[in-house]
Amino acid sequence: MDESQHRMKIARTQDWYDSIWKTVGKCVFCDLKDKYILHEENGVVLTINLYPYIDGQMMAIPRRHVKSTNELTQVEWEIMRKFGYIAKKFFKKIHGHKAMWSLVKTGILAQGTVADHLHMHFIPFDKQDLCNWNFRELKYAPLENVELYKKDAREFVKNYMKFDSKYSNKSELPIVCDIFIKNKKDEFLFERRKKQNKIKGDILVLPGGHIDSLNEDLITGLRKEVFEETALKLVENKVKIINSDISELTFIKKNPYLKANLEDKEKFLRNTYIYSIAVNEKIIKPGDECEEVIWLSKEKVLASEHVSDSTKKMLHVLS
């Protein structure tokens, strides 16, 4: 164990700890180090605490420098809640702790080291005397805790999926807009997504994507997504909606920190459009989440194992 890790391990029980948080001189949560991160999702990071009160302690930190819980989006809140569930399961499995505190630090007086950057502590709770901040003699240094959690990535994956299936509470469905685009050969444009954004079954998708901002109309959002993914500039008055329904897909998310694959089943409102003019396929270039563009005839679409049934049904309607 190097000297810096040893100092982090013993810091809370030393008189000189106060001098650490008073002299940082920057927001450490705007400069998070990958080696301490366990997972990141929708702009929220799950990381271990460098100066824990007790072995195993974790934190959930938004990447955005927000000062208050009032500034968190619904998605950010949901991810922090998910991380708390996973942290508690990890504490029990790895460290034998059956209880946990969730402590949100908000406001400058509560956050001297991080320039008022909101964060949530997940603190294993083993004895009532912890209420008096009797810091424990730690067994593990920060990087040792990281390794303990990484060795049991299977536990993370299990509880990640269990939370989504049993406790996920999204009051609003995300909106996805996509579009049928044809070339002069009557072939339809599909995309193969990049490895970190795969859909289970390696499903090919139509150009489009999530509409994150509702401050603009859906067609504007669709045009932006299509341009980012294909370099095609849609002519707005040539775009026509053909279907709107609730769909569901399972996304395969990569966790580069734990080197694990996570299955995330997502239900969303899907609006599908058609582009009324044929395009020159030579101007199409894959970008953003699109790894490769593929042109398929109607017959090949209907025969493909990598096109969803809902997309095939819409193609029947178009014909």
Side-chain angles (χ1 to χ4, degrees):
M1 182 188 308
D2 66 31
E3 180 61 25
S4 65
Q5 290 291 305
H6 178 68
R7 284 176 62 82
M8 291 177 188
K9 178 180 175 181
I10 66 173
R12 289 286 187 180
T13 59
Q14 305 300 308
D15 293 338
W16 44 261
Y17 174 70
D18 276 356
S19 67
I20 296 175
W21 67 266
K22 290 178 180 178
T23 59
V24 172
K26 66 176 181 179
C27 177
V28 296
F29 292 161
C30 286
D31 186 30
L32 294 169
K33 306 302 181 187
D34 284 355
K35 63 183 178 181
Y36 297 115
I37 295 175
L38 299 172
H39 187 54
E40 180 174 354
E41 186 169 339
N42 291 329
V44 182
V45 171
L46 179 64
T47 180
I48 58 125
N49 192 308
L50 298 189
Y51 299 101
Y53 307 141
I54 184 172
D55 270 319
Q57 184 177 340
M58 298 184 195
M59 291 186 293
I61 307 169
R63 285 287 191 184
R64 296 190 304 126
H65 189 120
V66 296
K67 301 179 180 180
S68 166
T69 53
N70 299 332
E71 299 176 60
L72 292 174
T73 66
Q74 177 192 341
V75 172
E76 288 168 334
W77 258 123
E78 181 72 1
I79 295 301
M80 293 178 86
R81 192 166 72 91
K82 180 193 290 187
F83 285 174
Y85 174 82
I86 292 170
K88 185 178 179 182
K89 295 294 185 180
F90 252 145
F91 296 157
K92 183 178 180 181
K93 176 78 180 295
I94 305 297
H95 294 287
H97 301 306
K98 297 181 180 179
M100 180 186 81
W101 279 2
S102 296
L103 174 64
V104 179
K105 286 197 172 184
T106 178
I108 288 178
L109 290 179
Q111 303 176 172
T113 57
V114 289
D116 68 14
H117 192 143
L118 172 76
H119 56 290
M120 179 182 287
H121 285 278
F122 303 124
I123 308 172
F125 187 85
D126 62 347
K127 297 178 183 178
Q128 291 298 324
D129 69 337
L130 193 59
C131 295
N132 298 317
W133 303 116
N134 292 330
F135 302 119
R136 301 288 186 268
E137 186 82 24
L138 299 180
K139 184 177 180 180
Y140 302 104
L143 285 178
E144 290 176 328
N145 262 308
V146 171
E147 288 307 310
L148 283 173
Y149 291 137
K150 284 186 174 180
K151 285 179 181 178
D152 209 345
R154 189 176 298 176
E155 178 75 7
F156 183 96
V157 172
K158 180 184 74 175
N159 290 304
Y160 180 98
M161 297 176 67
K162 184 176 180 180
F163 179 91
D164 277 347
S165 65
K166 294 187 67 175
Y167 304 112
S168 183
N169 182 27
K170 298 175 183 176
S171 60
E172 297 178 1
L173 287 176
I175 299 174
V176 170
C177 291
D178 57 12
I179 186 166
F180 282 98
I181 297 171
K182 286 198 298 184
N183 61 17
K184 294 177 181 179
K185 303 174 188 175
D186 279 341
E187 295 171 325
F188 294 93
L189 178 59
F190 283 84
E191 300 176 3
R192 175 168 281 119
R193 294 168 66 92
K194 291 182 177 177
K195 288 182 179 179
Q196 61 269 33
N197 298 295
K198 287 286 187 186
I199 299 172
K200 190 173 183 180
D202 196 19
I203 295 295
L204 301 175
V205 296
L206 298 171
H210 286 79
I211 306 301
D212 297 319
S213 173
L214 296 183
N215 294 324
E216 60 190 15
D217 65 81
L218 297 181
I219 299 294
T220 299
L222 173 63
R223 291 176 69 211
K224 286 182 179 179
E225 290 290 329
V226 171
F227 180 73
E228 289 173 359
E229 294 172 357
T230 68
L232 175 65
K233 295 181 179 180
L234 295 175
V235 179
E236 185 170 343
N237 63 5
K238 301 298 182 182
V239 175
K240 178 184 177 182
I241 190 166
I242 59 169
N243 193 68
S244 181
D245 60 17
I246 306 299
S247 292
E248 184 176 271
L249 286 173
T250 300
F251 293 84
I252 306 297
K253 295 182 177 179
K254 299 281 185 179
N255 181 322
Y257 308 104
L258 297 177
K259 297 181 179 178
N261 289 338
L262 306 169
E263 291 191 7
D264 188 9
K265 189 174 289 186
E266 181 177 312
K267 188 174 286 187
F268 50 89
L269 173 64
R270 181 186 182 189
N271 284 355
T272 300
Y273 301 78
I274 187 169
Y275 200 40
S276 62
I277 55 178
V279 303
N280 180 356
E281 64 261 35
K282 292 181 180 179
I283 68 173
I284 304 296
K285 298 178 182 178
D288 195 32
E289 295 180 353
C290 173
E291 180 179 69
E292 179 186 5
V293 294
I294 300 170
W295 293 93
L296 296 174
S297 66
K298 175 189 171 184
E299 292 72 25
K300 287 185 177 180
V301 172
L302 296 177
S304 176
E305 298 177 354
H306 301 292
V307 176
S308 69
D309 289 341
S310 59
T311 299
K312 291 178 181 179
K313 288 178 181 177
M314 281 186 279
L315 188 55
H316 275 299
V317 174
L318 289 179
S319 303

